[in-house]
Amino acid sequence: MKRNKMVNMRIAIIILSGLCSFPAIAQDGPVGIAFVQAPEQGGGIATGATMDEAFDKATAQCMESGALAEDCIKTNWCFPAGWSVDIFLQHREGPHWHEVFCGLPSKAAAQATALHVCDRQKRDYLIECSPVQFYDEQGVAQMEN
């Protein structure tokens, strides 16, 4: 009986050693999504296995528009990413901005979110409100630019 326990223990150690030697593939599991905005300059959106990884990539994308890293403000992070929607809004007095919602369970939920956010009955001060992009669970843009 004692010999069987030793053999089983050795087999378990060999199996675990073998599993530990394979590198982890970050994209095998769920990914998160990060959004950054540089007012009046641009923005960035990226996915990653961690918040830091995704925000670093999104900030690099934001800087491609000419913004400095400190101009690229971290606005949203969702893990898992789910579906996302980026909505453009403009106040009747001129200021405009984006509102981003992520972590939504489906494309239909993202579309419904945009519809509700742009409800002119509730936000009568807006002269413009429309989704500018939807992203799927992997961060892939769904609308052609």
Side-chain angles (χ1 to χ4, degrees), residues 41-44 57-69 72:
Q41 296 176 72
K57 289 193 271 185
T59 299
Q61 187 182 71
C62 177
M63 292 171 59
E64 290 173 8
S65 68
L68 299 175
C72 298

Side-chain angles (χ1 to χ4, degrees), residues 3-57:
R3 188 173 184 329
N4 284 345
K5 283 186 178 181
M6 290 299 287
V7 170
N8 289 342
M9 181 72 103
R10 286 183 184 153
I11 291 171
I13 290 171
I14 290 168
I15 291 171
L16 289 174
S17 299
L19 291 175
C20 293
S21 66
F22 293 108
I25 300 172
Q27 298 303 322
D28 277 354
V31 297
I33 192 164
F35 293 85
V36 301
Q37 291 184 36
E40 304 297 330
Q41 296 176 72
I45 178 244
T47 58
T50 67
M51 182 172 62
D52 289 338
E53 175 189 343
F55 272 126
D56 287 349
K57 289 193 271 185

Side-chain angles (χ1 to χ4, degrees), residues 87-117:
I87 304 168
F88 174 83
L89 301 95
Q90 185 171 5
H91 194 281
R92 67 175 164 241
E93 293 180 8
H96 58 278
W97 65 95
H98 287 255
E99 292 182 8
V100 175
F101 300 86
C102 57
L104 300 167
S106 65
K107 183 177 184 177
Q111 292 169 326
T113 298
L115 184 68
H116 290 289
V117 166

